[in-house]
CSV table of all heavy atoms in Angstrom, one decimal:
chain,number,residue,atom,x,y,z
P,1067,PRO,N,95.2,108.5,58.6
P,1067,PRO,CA,93.9,109.2,58.9
P,1067,PRO,C,93.1,109.4,57.7
P,1067,PRO,O,91.9,109.4,57.7
P,1067,PRO,CB,94.4,110.5,59.6
P,1067,PRO,CG,95.8,110.7,59.2
P,1067,PRO,CD,96.4,109.4,59.0
P,1068,PHE,N,93.8,109.7,56.6
P,1068,PHE,CA,93.1,109.9,55.3
P,1068,PHE,C,92.3,108.7,54.9
P,1068,PHE,O,91.2,108.8,54.5
P,1068,PHE,CB,94.2,110.3,54.2
P,1068,PHE,CG,93.6,110.7,52.9
P,1068,PHE,CD1,92.8,111.9,52.8
P,1068,PHE,CD2,93.7,109.9,51.8
P,1068,PHE,CE1,92.3,112.2,51.6
P,1068,PHE,CE2,93.2,110.2,50.6
P,1068,PHE,CZ,92.5,111.4,50.5
P,1069,ILE,N,93.0,107.5,55.0
P,1069,ILE,CA,92.3,106.3,54.6
P,1069,ILE,C,91.2,105.9,55.6
P,1069,ILE,O,90.1,105.5,55.2
P,1069,ILE,CB,93.4,105.1,54.5
P,1069,ILE,CG1,94.3,105.3,53.3
P,1069,ILE,CG2,92.7,103.8,54.5
P,1069,ILE,CD1,95.4,104.4,53.3
P,1070,ILE,N,91.4,106.2,56.9
P,1070,ILE,CA,90.4,105.9,57.8
P,1070,ILE,C,89.1,106.8,57.5
P,1070,ILE,O,88.0,106.3,57.6
P,1070,ILE,CB,90.9,106.2,59.3
P,1070,ILE,CG1,91.9,105.2,59.7
P,1070,ILE,CG2,89.7,106.3,60.3
P,1070,ILE,CD1,92.6,105.5,61.0
P,1071,VAL,N,89.3,108.0,57.2
P,1071,VAL,CA,88.2,108.9,56.9
P,1071,VAL,C,87.4,108.4,55.6
P,1071,VAL,O,86.2,108.3,55.6
P,1071,VAL,CB,88.7,110.3,56.6
P,1071,VAL,CG1,87.5,111.2,56.0
P,1071,VAL,CG2,89.1,111.0,57.9
P,1072,ILE,N,88.1,108.0,54.6
P,1072,ILE,CA,87.5,107.5,53.4
P,1072,ILE,C,86.7,106.2,53.7
P,1072,ILE,O,85.6,106.0,53.3
P,1072,ILE,CB,88.6,107.2,52.3
P,1072,ILE,CG1,89.1,108.6,51.8
P,1072,ILE,CG2,87.9,106.5,51.1
P,1072,ILE,CD1,90.2,108.5,50.8
P,1073,LEU,N,87.4,105.2,54.4
P,1073,LEU,CA,86.7,104.0,54.7
P,1073,LEU,C,85.5,104.2,55.6
P,1073,LEU,O,84.4,103.6,55.4
P,1073,LEU,CB,87.7,103.0,55.3
P,1073,LEU,CG,88.8,102.4,54.4
P,1073,LEU,CD1,89.6,101.5,55.2
P,1073,LEU,CD2,88.2,101.8,53.2
P,1074,GLY,N,85.7,105.1,56.6
P,1074,GLY,CA,84.6,105.4,57.5
P,1074,GLY,C,83.4,106.0,56.7
P,1074,GLY,O,82.2,105.6,57.0
P,1075,GLY,N,83.7,106.9,55.8
P,1075,GLY,CA,82.6,107.5,55.1
P,1075,GLY,C,81.9,106.5,54.1
P,1075,GLY,O,80.7,106.5,54.0
P,1076,LEU,N,82.7,105.7,53.5
P,1076,LEU,CA,82.1,104.7,52.5
P,1076,LEU,C,81.3,103.6,53.2
P,1076,LEU,O,80.1,103.5,52.9
P,1076,LEU,CB,83.3,104.1,51.7
P,1076,LEU,CG,82.9,103.1,50.6
P,1076,LEU,CD1,82.0,103.8,49.5
P,1076,LEU,CD2,84.1,102.4,50.0
P,1077,ILE,N,81.9,102.9,54.1
P,1077,ILE,CA,81.2,101.8,54.8
P,1077,ILE,C,80.2,102.3,55.7
P,1077,ILE,O,79.1,101.8,55.9
P,1077,ILE,CB,82.3,100.9,55.5
P,1077,ILE,CG1,83.2,100.3,54.4
P,1077,ILE,CG2,81.6,99.8,56.2
P,1077,ILE,CD1,84.3,99.4,55.0
P,1078,GLY,N,80.6,103.4,56.5
P,1078,GLY,CA,79.6,104.0,57.4
P,1078,GLY,C,78.4,104.5,56.7
P,1078,GLY,O,77.2,104.4,57.2
P,1079,GLY,N,78.5,105.1,55.5
P,1079,GLY,CA,77.4,105.6,54.7
P,1079,GLY,C,76.5,104.5,54.3
P,1079,GLY,O,75.2,104.6,54.4
P,1080,ILE,N,77.1,103.3,53.9
P,1080,ILE,CA,76.2,102.2,53.5
P,1080,ILE,C,75.4,101.7,54.7
P,1080,ILE,O,74.2,101.4,54.6
P,1080,ILE,CB,77.1,101.1,52.9
P,1080,ILE,CG1,77.7,101.5,51.6
P,1080,ILE,CG2,76.3,99.8,52.7
P,1080,ILE,CD1,78.8,100.5,51.1
P,1081,VAL,N,76.1,101.5,55.9
P,1081,VAL,CA,75.5,101.0,57.1
P,1081,VAL,C,74.3,101.9,57.5
P,1081,VAL,O,73.2,101.5,57.9
P,1081,VAL,CB,76.5,100.8,58.2
P,1081,VAL,CG1,75.8,100.5,59.5
P,1081,VAL,CG2,77.5,99.7,57.8
P,1082,VAL,N,74.6,103.3,57.6
P,1082,VAL,CA,73.6,104.2,58.0
P,1082,VAL,C,72.4,104.2,57.1
P,1082,VAL,O,71.2,104.3,57.5
P,1082,VAL,CB,74.2,105.6,58.1
P,1082,VAL,CG1,73.1,106.7,58.3
P,1082,VAL,CG2,75.2,105.7,59.2
P,1083,SER,N,72.6,104.1,55.8
P,1083,SER,CA,71.5,104.1,54.8
P,1083,SER,C,70.6,102.9,55.0
P,1083,SER,O,69.4,102.9,54.8
P,1083,SER,CB,72.0,104.2,53.4
P,1083,SER,OG,72.8,103.0,53.1
P,1084,MET,N,71.3,101.8,55.4
P,1084,MET,CA,70.5,100.5,55.7
P,1084,MET,C,69.7,100.6,57.0
P,1084,MET,O,68.6,100.0,57.1
P,1084,MET,CB,71.4,99.3,55.8
P,1084,MET,CG,72.0,98.9,54.4
P,1084,MET,SD,70.7,98.3,53.3
P,1084,MET,CE,70.4,99.7,52.3
P,1085,TYR,N,70.2,101.4,58.0
P,1085,TYR,CA,69.5,101.5,59.2
P,1085,TYR,C,68.4,102.6,59.3
P,1085,TYR,O,67.6,102.7,60.2
P,1085,TYR,CB,70.5,101.7,60.4
P,1085,TYR,CG,71.0,100.4,60.9
P,1085,TYR,CD1,72.2,99.9,60.4
P,1085,TYR,CD2,70.3,99.6,61.8
P,1085,TYR,CE1,72.8,98.7,60.9
P,1085,TYR,CE2,70.8,98.4,62.3
P,1085,TYR,CZ,72.0,98.0,61.8
P,1085,TYR,OH,72.5,96.8,62.2
P,1086,MET,N,68.5,103.5,58.3
P,1086,MET,CA,67.5,104.7,58.2
P,1086,MET,C,66.1,104.2,58.3
P,1086,MET,O,65.2,104.8,59.0
P,1086,MET,CB,67.8,105.6,57.0
P,1086,MET,CG,69.0,106.4,57.2
P,1086,MET,SD,69.4,107.5,55.7
P,1086,MET,CE,68.0,108.6,55.8
P,1087,PRO,N,65.7,103.2,57.5
P,1087,PRO,CA,64.2,102.8,57.5
P,1087,PRO,C,63.9,102.3,58.9
P,1087,PRO,O,62.7,102.5,59.4
P,1087,PRO,CB,64.2,101.7,56.5
P,1087,PRO,CG,65.3,101.9,55.6
P,1087,PRO,CD,66.4,102.5,56.4
P,1088,ILE,N,64.8,101.6,59.6
P,1088,ILE,CA,64.5,101.1,61.0
P,1088,ILE,C,64.3,102.2,61.9
P,1088,ILE,O,63.4,102.2,62.8
P,1088,ILE,CB,65.7,100.2,61.4
P,1088,ILE,CG1,65.8,99.0,60.5
P,1088,ILE,CG2,65.5,99.7,62.9
P,1088,ILE,CD1,67.0,98.1,60.8
P,1089,PHE,N,65.2,103.3,61.8
P,1089,PHE,CA,65.0,104.5,62.6
P,1089,PHE,C,63.6,105.1,62.4
P,1089,PHE,O,62.9,105.6,63.3
P,1089,PHE,CB,66.1,105.5,62.4
P,1089,PHE,CG,67.5,105.0,62.7
P,1089,PHE,CD1,68.6,105.5,62.1
P,1089,PHE,CD2,67.6,104.1,63.7
P,1089,PHE,CE1,69.8,105.0,62.4
P,1089,PHE,CE2,68.9,103.6,64.1
P,1089,PHE,CZ,70.0,104.1,63.4
P,1090,LYS,N,63.2,105.2,61.1
P,1090,LYS,CA,62.0,105.8,60.7
P,1090,LYS,C,60.8,105.0,61.3
P,1090,LYS,O,59.8,105.6,61.8
P,1090,LYS,CB,61.9,105.8,59.2
P,1090,LYS,CG,60.7,106.6,58.6
P,1090,LYS,CD,60.8,106.7,57.1
P,1090,LYS,CE,59.7,107.5,56.5
P,1090,LYS,NZ,59.7,107.6,55.1
P,1091,LEU,N,60.9,103.7,61.3
P,1091,LEU,CA,59.8,102.9,61.9
P,1091,LEU,C,59.7,103.1,63.4
P,1091,LEU,O,58.6,103.1,64.0
P,1091,LEU,CB,60.1,101.4,61.6
P,1091,LEU,CG,59.7,100.9,60.2
P,1091,LEU,CD1,60.2,99.5,60.0
P,1091,LEU,CD2,58.2,101.0,59.9
P,1092,GLY,N,60.9,103.2,64.0
P,1092,GLY,CA,60.9,103.5,65.4
P,1092,GLY,C,60.2,104.8,65.8
P,1092,GLY,O,59.5,104.9,66.8
């Protein structure tokens, strides 16, 4: 679970930051 949290935070953070402009345009 510790590794899952770290990977989720790292990769998820990158993905969310890339989709934020799209959400803003919407």
Side-chain angles (χ1 to χ4, degrees):
F1068 185 68
I1069 289 173
I1070 289 172
V1071 169
I1072 291 178
L1073 291 183
L1076 181 64
I1077 298 175
I1080 295 173
V1081 172
V1082 169
S1083 65
M1084 287 294 98
Y1085 276 96
M1086 283 178 70
I1088 299 175
F1089 298 151
K1090 190 175 180 182
L1091 283 173

